[in-house]
């Protein structure tokens, strides 16, 4: 390592070696996790309603994402034990705490979207001048 570079602080690790924030970001980075969580933040939703509300998601992909979010403790699946089957999903306490955190990120993005766009435009101009 270059001695002029300060050492990076050690990151806490999970059982698989990834830092906790990386593991959460990986869970949320997929195309469908955030739209699912956003819909569930409004209240309990049945599978078919969720499928209709999230434009472009297939049943297979929705099911895969719901299972992973349930596995991670962010949502719960409520099976009403009826025939035909009636299943709905809702955020857990853990999922609601994440929703509050994501709301802060959303507000940050809204406040800074113009600055981000300007920075990209300036960067692209500088890159264009260099070529």
């Amino acid at each position: 390592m270059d001695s002029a570079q300060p050492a990076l602080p050690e990151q806490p690790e999970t059982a698989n070696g990834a830092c906790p924030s990386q593991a959460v970001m990986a869970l949320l980075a997929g195309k469908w996790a955030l739209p699912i969580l956003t819909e569930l933040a409004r209240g309990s939703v049945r599978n078919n309603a969720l499928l209709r509300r999230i434009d472009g998601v297939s049943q297979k992909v929705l099911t895969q994402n719901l299972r992973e979010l349930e596995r991670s403790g962010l949502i719960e699946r409520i099976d009403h034990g009826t025939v035909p089957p009636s299943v709905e999903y809702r955020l857990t306490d853990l999922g609601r705490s994440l929703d509050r955190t994501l709301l802060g990120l959303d507000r940050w993005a809204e406040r800074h979207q113009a600055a981000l766009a300007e920075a990209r435009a300036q960067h692209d101009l500088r890159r264009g001048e260099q070529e």
Side-chain angles (χ1 to χ4, degrees), residues 23-92:
V24 171
M25 292 306 288
L27 175 65
L28 301 177
K31 183 175 182 178
W32 303 110
L34 290 176
I36 291 168
L37 292 170
T38 298
E39 286 300 324
L40 294 178
R42 298 177 180 158
S44 297
V45 180
R46 292 185 61 182
N47 184 290
N48 285 337
L50 200 52
L51 187 62
R52 285 190 303 272
R53 290 180 190 177
I54 302 175
D55 190 38
V57 69
S58 70
Q59 180 64 65
K60 178 183 176 182
V61 170
L62 177 62
T63 299
Q64 290 170 338
N65 277 264
L66 289 169
R67 286 181 181 159
E68 187 59 29
L69 293 168
E70 180 184 15
R71 179 175 175 256
S72 297
L74 297 175
I75 66 172
E76 64 181 322
R77 179 181 187 271
I78 300 106
D79 185 345
H80 296 286
T82 60
V83 177
S86 175
V87 175
E88 62 184 12
Y89 294 88
R90 68 177 170 211
L91 293 180
T92 61

